[in-house]
Amino acid sequence: MALLELKNLTKRFGDVLAVSDFTLSVEQGEFVSLLGPSGCGKTTTLQMIAGFETPTSGAIILNGRNLEDVPARKRGLGIVFQSYALFPHMTVEQNVGFGLEMRGVAPAERAGRVRKVLELVHLDGLANRYPRAMSGGQRQRVAVARALVIEPDLLLLDEPLSNLDAKLREEMQLELRRIQQEAGVTTVLVTHDQSEAMALSDRIAVMQAGELMQVGSPFEIYERPRSSFVSTFLGKTNTLAARLEQVTPEGSLLVCNGVTLKGPPANFLPGPVEVSLRPERVELTDADNAVVSGTVSERVFLGNQWLSKVNTPIGELLMTRRNRGSDEPKPGDTVHLAWSAEHLSILAADRSRLT
Amino acid sequence: MRRNGLAALLFSTLFVVFMIAPLVVVIGVSFTSTGYLEFPPSEPGLRWFRAILTNPDFIDAALLSLELGVTSATIATVLAVPAALAIGREKFPGRDVLQSLFLSPLMVPTVVLGVGFLRFLTLISMNGTLIGLALCHAVVIFPFILRLSLAAIVGLDQSVEKAAVSLGASSLTVFRRITLPLIMPGVCGGWILAFITSFDELTVSIFIINPSTTTLPVKLFNHITQTTDPLVTSVSTAMILFTVCIMLFVNWLYGLDRLLIGEGSR
């Protein structure tokens, strides 16, 4: 049985449908991210799990118990807020010990547990500091420690890394993953940052306009997006409008701007579709093996890779190539491009045609 | 960096002079040794400061004003903090009306308030009592505490309270352990400002005091209507000194500009 089950969760604010019929199960020990642009309902979903918002309909079931009549303070969840929400007038030790104090844990045991969790987040020795005397990354760790010390069934992270600078954020991603795995706590993360979701999660639930678009492992979602929204929200991609002509168990044939392309087997009926092609799957080849040929229009050097734009008969294609220290085609050069058929993802032009 | 033009500088200078000049004159006159008001004093001395000590009336009035200020500021604080919490946090119909009502003593002329209080206190037979006086002062100074408490509450990150709730704290515990300590500087600032306002409140008090509850400002006013000796200036100087000390303390505690301009404008 899943640890957390969200069943047909719906939240309406007046006329606005913030979350619509959201169903998701989270297994014990799993790290699941709710990923989506701002206003997609991911934070509202988290607030409902936490007990700060009441669902309009649907159920939240934790450990087999319906949380409907359980107030926020009795849910026993660990929450890390975007602003960290540390108590500014308390030391690190008092901040972290607060949840234990509320549970009536004796001071001696409290001190021991606080020390242990501060070791887990690598903050030992800073117990007597005040939050204002700490860096953003350190405050972040205090917030995580404060949520973990009560040994919650479920840890909720609300955009926990968005206030950190880019370099620190990458470090903290690895740290968060390590802490989560060492503590073995089931975690739900809310984020709009796809790289954060991919780096941390076992599974990602992509949301748009209050609806769940797709759930799966980061690899699955990146490789097999089921809609153009998911394919463009996770990483860069080329989205092409095409017509599906023929479907066989071995593969499919697509026509895009008069060019015939081979595609993977598809679950669609022939008709208009969208096709997604990741820029890193586009390769340079010679004229004989080319799927399309075109002219380089722009080229950007990104250090570890080159990003080029190529004008082709099927449209403008983005191409990324690893920097191997050799020269790359320059703007104006004619290039021949190829990719294997299975690297095209065929997407429903609209959701109703999903099978 | 000078961004102000000559005219603006001149205006500001005149404005400050206009504000400060009366204080300078009062303080100057208080150091005279003559029996009449004289500025600048030809023979400086502390004669009129010694005279305060030989006038127990003034000392009694000062003590009464002190007691009144503490009582009324405390009453108003106890009432204003919950009101500020409701107005700053909750959304309910009539919230804006309620806020305007609570701030209205700032806008109603104090003479009108004084007449109203007089009628009301007479009606409930509390005219001339210290507690009646304290309640009336509490109404007058309520807006100061409400505004400062409100600024502190609105400036408080609500997720801090949510965090405490998620860790198992009841509403009362959240208020006692989190909210109140965090808004304390604002509340204290409001209390002190309210205390000062009550301490030198004259207009309302004139209507509702009796000889046994004469406050210091009323005593000074009565004195100056009968005689014009420099005693009033030495008492005034002592009051100015007292107020300045409190203001310095508040500035150290909380920052005066934040207090008077409000949190949001920083």
Side-chain angles (χ1 to χ4, degrees):
Chain A
M1 190 189 60
L3 179 93
L4 173 73
E5 283 177 81
L6 307 178
K7 288 185 176 166
N8 309 101
L9 209 55
T10 299
K11 178 70 184 180
R12 201 178 272 285
F13 292 107
D15 291 340
V16 182
L17 196 58
V19 178
S20 157
D21 208 20
F22 187 95
T23 298
L24 180 73
S25 300
V26 180
E27 299 296 327
Q28 174 70 48
E30 210 181 4
F31 196 125
V32 174
S33 295
L34 306 182
L35 174 67
S38 63
C40 74
K42 56 190 194 298
T43 299
T44 308
T45 306
L46 192 86
Q47 297 272 336
M48 287 194 281
I49 301 173
F52 297 130
E53 293 285 357
T54 316
T56 309
S57 66
I60 301 166
I61 291 156
L62 182 68
N63 273 329
R65 190 165 71 129
N66 191 331
L67 292 185
E68 191 177 350
D69 298 320
V70 184
R73 72 184 191 93
K74 299 247 160 126
R75 293 194 180 189
L77 309 179
I79 306 176
V80 176
F81 293 83
Q82 186 172 4
S83 62
Y84 315 142
L86 298 180
F87 309 134
H89 58 304
M90 297 187 192
T91 62
V92 169
E93 189 176 13
Q94 289 165 336
N95 263 282
V96 177
F98 189 82
L100 297 176
E101 202 187 325
M102 292 301 116
R103 282 164 175 69
V105 175
E109 192 196 334
R110 208 193 299 159
R113 282 171 69 175
V114 169
R115 196 172 341 107
K116 252 175 72 186
V117 80
L118 286 180
E119 271 169 35
L120 174 70
V121 299
H122 294 166
L123 277 184
D124 17 354
L126 298 183
N128 293 321
R129 288 266 188 101
Y130 280 92
R132 63 173 173 273
M134 305 181 96
S135 68
Q138 288 174 328
R139 289 182 204 180
Q140 171 73 63
R141 287 163 198 260
V142 177
V144 172
R146 187 178 64 178
L148 282 179
V149 76
I150 58 172
E151 292 172 4
D153 290 334
L154 183 65
L155 180 65
L156 302 177
L157 306 173
D158 184 5
E159 306 256 6
L161 304 178
S162 59
N163 286 343
L164 302 178
D165 60 56
K167 200 167 159 56
L168 195 55
R169 196 171 331 155
E170 270 177 29
E171 267 175 52
M172 277 309 289
Q173 279 175 6
L174 296 175
E175 266 300 280
L176 261 186
R177 187 65 176 157
R178 174 189 68 78
I179 293 166
Q180 188 263 341
Q181 277 170 348
E182 268 181 47
V185 62
T186 314
T187 304
V188 175
L189 166 79
V190 157
T191 183
H192 64 269
D193 180 342
Q194 42 109 4
S195 64
E196 189 174 307
M198 285 202 270
L200 288 168
S201 324
D202 297 314
R203 282 193 301 150
I204 297 177
V206 185
M207 294 181 75
Q208 186 198 12
E211 287 188 52
L212 181 59
M213 303 298 286
Q214 191 173 350
V215 193
S217 72
F219 185 76
E220 242 170 65
I221 295 210
Y222 187 82
E223 286 298 316
R224 286 188 291 283
R226 291 205 307 216
S227 57
S228 61
F229 173 76
V230 173
S231 75
T232 48
F233 199 75
L234 272 93
K236 283 196 179 66
T237 197
N238 296 295
T239 308
L240 311 167
R243 209 185 142 71
L244 187 59
E245 293 291 341
Q246 195 189 329
V247 186
T248 66
E250 287 76 43
S252 54
L253 279 184
L254 299 138
V255 175
C256 178
N257 263 354
V259 180
T260 304
L261 305 173
K262 280 191 198 144
N267 293 330
F268 297 102
L269 297 173
V273 289
E274 282 185 330
V275 177
S276 158
L277 174 63
R278 297 282 181 195
E280 68 270 25
R281 298 292 150 72
V282 180
E283 285 169 15
L284 289 180
T285 184
D286 51 48
D288 295 340
N289 296 318
V291 179
V292 288
S293 300
T295 317
V296 177
S297 63
E298 270 179 63
R299 185 179 75 166
V300 182
F301 179 53
L302 300 171
N304 59 344
Q305 59 182 12
W306 294 90
L307 173 68
S308 314
K309 264 189 194 169
V310 183
N311 282 323
T312 71
I314 59 170
E316 192 172 67
L317 286 184
L318 285 175
M319 170 176 73
T320 52
R321 286 168 53 82
R322 254 215 0 244
N323 172 21
R324 292 184 173 82
S326 53
D327 202 27
E328 283 286 304
K330 294 180 290 297
D333 288 1
T334 300
V335 289
H336 306 287
L337 308 177
W339 52 85
S340 40
E342 70 265 22
H343 287 151
L344 285 184
S345 302
I346 302 178
L347 312 169
D350 66 274
R351 274 167 65 80
S352 58
R353 295 184 67 237
L354 279 181
T355 49
Chain B
M1 193 169 54
R2 266 183 61 180
R3 280 173 302 174
N4 290 329
L6 194 64
L9 272 177
L10 191 70
F11 175 78
S12 302
T13 311
L14 281 176
F15 189 77
V16 169
V17 167
F18 190 74
M19 298 274 287
I20 299 285
L23 297 183
V24 172
V25 172
V26 165
I27 294 171
V29 172
S30 71
F31 286 99
T32 186
S33 303
T34 53
Y36 49 90
L37 301 176
E38 178 202 36
F39 184 83
S42 49
E43 305 164 52
L46 293 176
R47 174 179 165 191
W48 294 106
F49 286 93
R50 282 192 295 272
I52 299 176
L53 300 175
T54 55
N55 264 297
D57 282 6
F58 276 100
I59 292 178
D60 286 349
L63 288 176
L64 183 93
S65 278
L66 214 59
E67 190 186 346
L68 180 64
V70 170
T71 314
S72 58
T74 306
I75 293 173
T77 303
V78 168
L79 297 176
V81 171
L85 273 174
I87 290 170
R89 277 295 155 74
E90 311 294 332
K91 285 201 170 75
F92 52 89
R95 190 180 65 149
D96 293 346
V97 177
L98 199 64
Q99 187 177 352
S100 308
L101 185 74
F102 283 152
L103 294 178
S104 63
L106 282 180
M107 283 159 271
V108 178
T110 34
V111 179
V112 176
L113 275 177
V115 175
F117 286 144
L118 175 63
R119 280 293 300 144
F120 183 69
L121 290 181
T122 314
L123 218 62
I124 60 172
S125 326
M126 280 179 81
N127 200 3
T129 60
L130 183 64
I131 189 70
L133 198 58
L135 288 174
C136 295
H137 272 206
V139 171
V140 175
I141 62 185
F142 189 83
F144 294 101
I145 304 175
L146 185 73
R147 271 213 54 190
L148 292 183
S149 304
L150 211 51
I153 285 163
V154 171
L156 188 64
D157 178 9
Q158 278 203 47
S159 58
V160 173
E161 288 164 318
K162 280 186 178 173
V165 170
S166 78
L167 292 167
S170 64
S171 339
L172 189 68
T173 310
V174 173
F175 177 73
R176 202 170 50 81
R177 295 284 307 277
I178 310 293
T179 317
L180 191 60
L182 291 180
I183 63 170
M184 213 48 186
V187 173
C188 282
W191 188 93
I192 291 173
L193 212 60
F195 169 80
I196 293 172
T197 310
S198 161
F199 190 74
D200 65 19
E201 210 296 319
L202 176 66
T203 323
V204 166
S205 305
I206 285 180
F207 284 92
I208 55 179
I209 53 121
N210 70 9
S212 70
T213 54
T214 303
T215 62
L216 188 56
V218 178
K219 178 81 197 158
L220 273 178
F221 180 73
N222 289 343
H223 188 80
I224 210 164
T225 50
Q226 288 150 19
T227 56
T228 49
D229 64 25
L231 183 59
V232 285
T233 62
S234 61
V235 174
S236 300
T237 303
M239 273 180 88
I240 292 167
L241 192 68
F242 178 63
T243 314
V244 165
C245 285
I246 293 178
M247 283 300 185
L248 286 177
F249 175 70
V250 176
N251 193 26
W252 170 78
L253 183 81
Y254 191 62
L256 261 188
D257 46 352
R258 199 151 48 130
L259 206 103
L260 298 175
I261 303 166
E263 195 93 42
S265 49
R266 295 250 289 190

